[in-house]
Amino acid sequence: MASESGGRGPRSGPPRDQTGWRNSIRRYGSLSIGLHWLMLVLLAAVYASIELRELFPKGSDPREALKHWHYMLGLLVLVLVWLRLAVHMIGPVPRIEPEPAAWQKLLAKLMHVALYVLMIGMPLAGWLILSAEGKPVPFFGLELPALVGENKDLAKIADEIHETAGVVGYWLIGLHAVAALFHHYVVRDDTLRRMLSFRD
């Protein structure tokens, strides 16, 4: 116990929840937090690279470079999403305080499933498009094997699905962000705080 003269004694109160890199029942660990925000940056870069290509004429070097970055960053998302899933499965999911209603938890689960489908399906579709077009599949100095033989009809169908899913992805990411802000500022639970810091 600290004396009146200012001496230090043992701290009172419950210990702080310091989870390090692993998740706890109260907070996400640094690995989950890092992967979450890294995936967000990568998804923003994937979308930005394909949208910004429209600023340059077809066949120009900047346009082709942006397309290559779109392919490579998309495939990097495909690689990292499996790591994120593994981290999610080996640790507990931090509880939300105060606990949300059952319908909110269901919607959150459906949203997360949809986002994982997006992060797996979109890069695979891009890989399929390049393969069916008979084009190389670049990945940071490597060339990945084709998923299928050249097939222009398949490439066209896959490209249409890829573009539609890309629009859906905008909405999913936007709704995910709005939901997090709603929980933080309106509901005032710790949904967002769990992913901002791994310490109480």
Side-chain angles (χ1 to χ4, degrees), residues 34-90:
L35 284 171
H36 176 273
W37 296 110
L38 175 59
M39 297 294 278
L40 174 61
V41 171
L42 283 175
L43 287 171
V46 169
Y47 274 104
S49 58
I50 203 64
E51 296 292 351
L52 290 174
R53 87 191 193 285
E54 297 293 345
L55 299 176
F56 303 97
K58 291 184 178 180
S60 65
D61 289 340
R63 186 183 179 100
E64 293 302 311
L66 285 169
K67 287 167 63 177
H68 272 71
W69 276 107
H70 176 75
Y71 304 146
M72 294 188 297
L73 292 173
L75 289 169
L76 184 57
V77 168
L78 180 61
V79 171
L80 292 178
V81 71
W82 298 109
L83 175 59
R84 187 172 178 195
L85 274 170
V87 172
H88 178 77
M89 292 175 66
I90 64 175

Side-chain angles (χ1 to χ4, degrees), residues 3-15:
S3 67
E4 292 182 0
S5 61
R8 293 186 178 181
R11 295 181 180 179
S12 60

Side-chain angles (χ1 to χ4, degrees), residues 153-170:
D153 291 334
L154 177 60
K156 184 177 180 180
I157 293 171
D159 188 52
E160 291 175 353
I161 294 172
H162 188 70
E163 288 188 8
T164 301
V167 175
V168 173
Y170 274 123

Side-chain angles (χ1 to χ4, degrees), residues 15-195:
R16 297 176 70 178
D17 180 30
Q18 298 182 15
T19 64
W21 67 272
R22 300 183 65 178
N23 296 350
S24 76
I25 60 172
R26 293 177 58 83
R27 291 287 182 271
Y28 284 105
S30 57
L31 183 55
S32 290
I33 293 173
L35 284 171
H36 176 273
W37 296 110
L38 175 59
M39 297 294 278
L40 174 61
V41 171
L42 283 175
L43 287 171
V46 169
Y47 274 104
S49 58
I50 203 64
E51 296 292 351
L52 290 174
R53 87 191 193 285
E54 297 293 345
L55 299 176
F56 303 97
K58 291 184 178 180
S60 65
D61 289 340
R63 186 183 179 100
E64 293 302 311
L66 285 169
K67 287 167 63 177
H68 272 71
W69 276 107
H70 176 75
Y71 304 146
M72 294 188 297
L73 292 173
L75 289 169
L76 184 57
V77 168
L78 180 61
V79 171
L80 292 178
V81 71
W82 298 109
L83 175 59
R84 187 172 178 195
L85 274 170
V87 172
H88 178 77
M89 292 175 66
I90 64 175
V93 176
R95 61 175 179 263
I96 299 173
E97 296 179 353
E99 186 174 1
W103 66 269
Q104 290 180 328
K105 291 192 287 187
L106 177 60
L107 283 179
K109 184 171 291 188
L110 292 174
M111 173 62 74
H112 281 98
V113 170
L115 286 169
Y116 277 114
V117 170
L118 176 77
M119 290 185 286
I120 294 171
M122 287 288 285
L124 283 176
W127 192 347
L128 179 63
I129 292 166
L130 289 176
S131 301
E133 288 178 342
K135 295 179 180 179
V137 184
F139 186 67
F140 299 101
L142 302 175
E143 185 175 321
L144 301 183
L147 294 177
V148 296
E150 187 170 347
N151 185 327
K152 299 299 183 182
D153 291 334
L154 177 60
K156 184 177 180 180
I157 293 171
D159 188 52
E160 291 175 353
I161 294 172
H162 188 70
E163 288 188 8
T164 301
V167 175
V168 173
Y170 274 123
W171 283 98
L172 287 176
I173 295 168
L175 287 172
H176 183 63
V178 168
L181 294 174
F182 176 79
H183 276 272
H184 188 70
Y185 290 107
V186 179
V187 181
R188 296 187 179 278
D189 60 26
D190 65 349
T191 297
L192 181 58
R193 289 195 299 274
R194 296 176 310 154
M195 192 53 76

